[in-house]
Amino acid sequence: MWIVVIAVAGLFAGKLGDVQRDRAVDYLPASADSTQVAKIQDELPGGESTDLVLVYHRDGGLTAADRAEAARQVDAVAADHVLTARPEAIPSKDGTTLMYPVSSTAPGQDEKARDAFVNAVRAAADGGNGLTAEVTGPGAFATDASEVFDSLDGPLLYTTVGVVAVLLIIIYRSPLLWLVPLVVAGVANALSMAVAYGLNQAFDVSITGQSSGVMTILVFGAGTDYALLLVSRYREELRRTPRPYDAMVTALRGCGPAVLASSGTVAAGMLCLLAADLNSSSGMGPIAAVGVLCALVSMTTLLPAIFVLLGRKVFWPLVPEYGSEPKARRSVFAAMGSSAGRRPVAVLATGAVVLGALALGVLNLPGPLKQEDSFTTKPESITATQTLAAAYPEVGTQQISVMTPTAGADAALAEARAIDGVSSVERGRSGGGWTELSVLAESAPESAGETATIKALRSGLDGSHVGGPSAQQLDLEETNARDEKIVIPLVLVSVLLILVALLRSLVAPLILVVAVVAVWGAALGLGGLLFESFGLEGSDPGLPLLSFVFLVALGVDYGIFLMHRMREESLAGAEPTTAALTALRTTGGVIASAGLVLAATFAVLINMPLVGLVQLGFVIAVGVLLDTFLVRTYLVTSASVLLNRKVWWPGPLSRAPEPESAAPREPAPAPSLP
């Protein structure tokens, strides 16, 4: 079956990159003013425009020869390309800089055509001998961002595979065993790419560089976690069962419900993003869920089949022979459990203080991320923007696009010119009942003054829509704030209901949910304390929401592994304290391994060139580590010990067992030493 699946998936997986879109409209909120502007621009004569600014600069001041050369180059651009108007030079007051606004509708919505146009203009703008010639503007920024996203796929995949491979080799200490989960994760990744492509074709699900990158991380991270849990249980069963097939069946029956519940919880959390108004967030929801579910299917069907075919020898040199006993060794998690069991109140209080103190760092999160700060290394579009900001401090250098009904365009033009903060307004294209007005603000791009001007335009021009790069950033911030109020409660309710159904309790699910929310706050707070020291000047508007969804869903994932085993032990008759400590001792190692793998895969994002991905990777990686080594091992175990049977309230496990009859019993044999 899997041979057929791999063959079919291979036909479509490679097409995912063809439908990946990273235009601003693909990230914008669906109902925002700036989105309406982008849609109307697509329908104007010539379609969407690609707007650029050519920037010529010399530190000591431009010479006459510089100006002549700049004019010659701009004339060449106008001759070689279809422009909406001939570019006119705008000199800076200090005489160091010339900027030429350039606009063309020829590329339209075709990203490859846009990139070709931008690169052709950059090739024509040639400095030298102290004269710099750079190209910026929305079109140039989009091209630079597109190149970054295109460059992510290879390095992201290779780095993720390398990190997972190293960790699996360390965990399994086998020359062959580590390769099986890694190969299956690769198959799951190809399958997820094919399914994501199918969703795009069938339901027009938005695919962006961010969502496809996160999907890859989830497939390898979550998939390897499921493999670790299954292989650990399979190894146990091989010592009790003569045939590998029977051992695998028992292992799947034992840990299958926990894996199914955990993956279902993650997928449900991701799908809650569909309620977001932000296109990038709502599109990421189903794509991330696809990654988790493809990992689940692969690790519970293909992985077991390969292990059964390979037999016990796949574990060489540490082969679990039938009837053998594992080497007794001191368990770190048994020691952790002992301390949590002896002083549960002290452990809980200390953990709460640590998490609370870290969460206070949220107050130190940097302000909203500006466009010029969104790359870890600054491409040409950003350096040119900084040149403009220094040379033209008295006027905005980034266009604000206003779409107004053509019937009232003259009145709107006059009203726009009268609004405080507006430097100039020019009438643009008309079509479909709309007219485009190009507005320049007096304030610098993405400053408080320009933001006030955008809001004044929106409130002062009835029936008009205001867009452009700065308006888009404003809409991103406002929509993320609105989405948080909708998606976060939805995630909490969804996860809580799944946990209640799985654990047959209200208290245990509440403990897990409160724990992961505390982890999210602490991880985000640690980011607030460290981001500026990393040289990150702003905070991505989507960071709180996306990090919450991922950390809650993935954190509860490990909680399910622990609580499910605790419930198994309780059903077998163990006392609540014994059940909690046994669950930690038996699952602590695999949970720690899984947490390290997942944290490492998300940490791969820290090396990516986009600040939003760096921050998301950092917060999730730190959160997973906190959850694995502090919350899951100490705090949840301490809370379970402290609450005793009440942790399973109101289920049957919360009630004390009926007293046994007074019939004489044989004395239990003394426990043998390991």
Side-chain angles (χ1 to χ4, degrees):
M1 181 194 75
W2 269 103
I3 291 172
V4 174
V5 169
I6 292 169
V8 174
L11 296 175
F12 300 101
K15 296 183 178 181
L16 185 65
D18 297 335
V19 298
Q20 180 177 306
R21 296 289 179 265
D22 291 301
R23 297 186 307 153
V25 71
D26 297 307
Y27 285 79
L28 289 174
S31 60
D33 225 26
S34 53
T35 308
Q36 304 307 313
V37 170
K39 290 179 179 178
I40 295 170
Q41 284 178 330
D42 290 344
E43 299 169 0
L44 291 177
E48 180 181 356
S49 64
T50 299
D51 300 318
L52 308 175
V53 179
L54 274 69
V55 183
Y56 292 91
H57 175 81
R58 185 183 290 275
D59 287 338
L62 295 168
T63 65
D66 292 337
R67 298 175 189 276
E69 180 61 20
R72 186 192 66 77
Q73 292 180 9
V74 171
D75 287 340
V77 169
D80 293 340
H81 303 279
V82 179
L83 305 181
T84 56
R86 191 196 180 288
E88 297 292 338
I90 303 175
S92 64
K93 288 184 177 180
D94 62 6
T96 63
T97 310
L98 280 177
M99 69 170 174
Y100 286 86
V102 174
S103 182
S104 174
T105 58
Q109 299 182 42
D110 189 329
E111 291 186 31
K112 292 182 179 179
R114 178 205 64 202
D115 295 344
F117 171 64
V118 172
N119 290 328
V121 173
R122 282 176 168 165
D126 185 24
N129 297 322
L131 175 67
T132 61
E134 295 179 308
V135 179
T136 184
F141 178 84
T143 293
D144 289 339
S146 178
E147 290 178 356
V148 168
F149 279 117
D150 290 343
S151 69
L152 287 182
D153 294 340
L156 184 63
L157 178 61
Y158 304 146
T159 308
T160 302
V161 170
V163 167
V164 172
V166 170
L167 288 174
L168 287 177
I169 291 172
I170 294 172
I171 291 168
Y172 286 137
R173 290 168 290 165
S174 167
L176 178 60
L177 181 59
W178 64 273
L179 194 57
V180 180
L182 195 63
V183 169
V184 174
V187 171
N189 187 51
L191 177 61
S192 66
M193 293 171 68
V195 175
Y197 174 78
L199 287 178
N200 173 267
Q201 297 299 296
F203 304 104
D204 198 29
V205 173
S206 176
I207 309 289
T208 65
Q210 184 186 51
S211 62
S212 63
V214 167
M215 181 180 71
T216 296
I217 291 290
L218 271 176
V219 168
F220 279 91
T224 305
D225 283 1
Y226 303 149
L228 287 168
L229 188 68
L230 180 60
V231 172
S232 175
R233 191 64 174 260
Y234 177 53
R235 193 199 298 262
E236 288 180 29
E237 298 302 330
L238 282 173
R239 300 182 188 277
R240 306 188 186 108
T241 310
R243 294 177 62 229
Y245 177 86
D246 296 330
M248 182 57 76
V249 169
T250 305
L252 280 170
R253 286 175 178 167
C255 65
V259 172
L260 184 63
S262 63
S263 60
T265 304
V266 177
M270 299 302 148
L271 289 174
C272 290
L273 284 171
L274 285 169
D277 192 30
L278 199 66
N279 280 349
S280 56
S281 296
S282 61
M284 184 181 290
I287 299 304
V290 161
V292 171
L293 295 178
C294 286
L296 168 70
V297 172
S298 302
M299 294 302 173
T300 54
T301 57
L302 178 58
L303 184 74
I306 294 176
F307 269 116
V308 170
L309 286 173
L310 294 176
R312 281 183 166 84
K313 292 182 179 179
V314 72
F315 288 93
W316 185 86
L318 304 174
V319 180
E321 298 291 353
Y322 173 57
S324 65
E325 291 292 334
K327 183 183 294 186
R329 62 180 65 180
R330 180 174 175 79
S331 170
V332 174
F333 294 96
M336 290 180 173
S338 297
S339 63
R342 288 194 305 269
R343 294 180 293 274
V345 175
V347 170
L348 273 176
T350 303
V353 169
V354 170
L355 293 177
L358 290 176
L360 291 175
V362 171
L363 302 175
N364 197 51
L365 278 171
L369 185 67
K370 294 183 178 180
Q371 193 178 66
E372 65 186 67
D373 298 323
S374 57
F375 297 94
T376 55
T377 56
K378 300 190 184 302
E380 182 178 322
S381 59
I382 301 302
T383 58
T385 297
Q386 293 173 336
T387 299
L388 289 176
Y392 299 84
E394 75 286 352
V395 64
T397 56
Q398 188 160 264
Q399 176 180 306
I400 302 170
S401 298
V402 177
M403 291 297 171
T404 191
T406 301
D410 292 335
L413 186 69
E415 291 171 1
R417 286 173 174 163
I419 289 176
D420 288 340
V422 171
S423 173
S424 66
V425 184
E426 300 294 334
R427 185 168 181 152
R429 298 173 293 164
S430 295
W434 294 93
T435 294
E436 182 176 22
L437 304 179
S438 298
V439 179
L440 284 178
E442 294 176 350
S443 304
E446 297 183 68
S447 64
E450 190 197 39
T451 298
T453 301
I454 291 170
K455 291 181 177 179
L457 286 168
R458 285 177 169 173
S459 61
L461 302 178
D462 292 336
S464 300
H465 300 291
V466 180
S470 296
Q472 292 165 4
Q473 289 296 109
L474 178 62
D475 288 337
L476 286 173
E477 295 167 23
E478 293 178 348
T479 306
N480 268 303
R482 186 167 62 249
D483 285 347
E484 288 171 15
K485 298 175 182 177
I486 297 172
V487 176
I488 287 178
L490 190 59
V491 170
L492 290 175
V493 170
S494 300
V495 168
L496 192 60
L497 290 177
I498 292 174
L499 291 176
V500 168
L502 175 70
L503 301 176
R504 309 290 195 274
S505 164
L506 289 177
V507 176
L510 283 173
I511 292 173
L512 293 180
V513 169
V514 169
V516 292
V517 171
V519 165
W520 168 68
L524 197 62
L526 195 58
L529 295 173
L530 296 178
F531 282 162
E532 289 190 8
S533 64
F534 292 164
L536 307 180
E537 299 297 331
S539 178
D540 187 270
L543 177 64
L545 177 61
L546 293 180
S547 62
F548 179 87
V549 173
F550 281 98
L551 278 178
V552 168
L554 295 171
V556 166
D557 205 22
Y558 297 141
I560 288 174
F561 295 162
L562 181 67
M563 282 291 189
H564 186 267
R565 187 60 180 259
M566 194 186 303
R567 191 169 187 274
E568 276 189 57
E569 297 294 330
S570 298
L571 287 171
E575 289 296 313
T577 299
T578 304
L581 300 182
T582 301
L584 178 60
R585 186 181 67 251
T586 55
T587 66
V590 70
I591 289 178
S593 300
L596 284 172
V597 170
L598 190 64
T601 53
F602 272 98
V604 169
L605 293 175
I606 296 175
N607 292 320
M608 296 299 108
L610 289 172
V611 170
L613 291 180
V614 171
Q615 293 178 337
L616 184 65
F618 175 85
V619 171
I620 295 178
V622 168
V624 168
L625 292 176
L626 283 173
D627 186 80
T628 303
F629 294 102
L630 173 62
V631 173
R632 203 63 50 218
T633 51
Y634 280 111
L635 303 191
V636 171
T637 302
S638 297
S640 301
V641 170
L642 190 63
L643 291 171
N644 204 277
R645 295 188 185 279
K646 293 178 182 177
V647 75
W648 301 114
W649 184 87
L653 288 176
S654 64
R655 296 183 287 274
E658 296 292 332
E660 296 183 4
S661 63
R665 296 178 56 189
E666 291 291 330
S672 58
L673 294 175

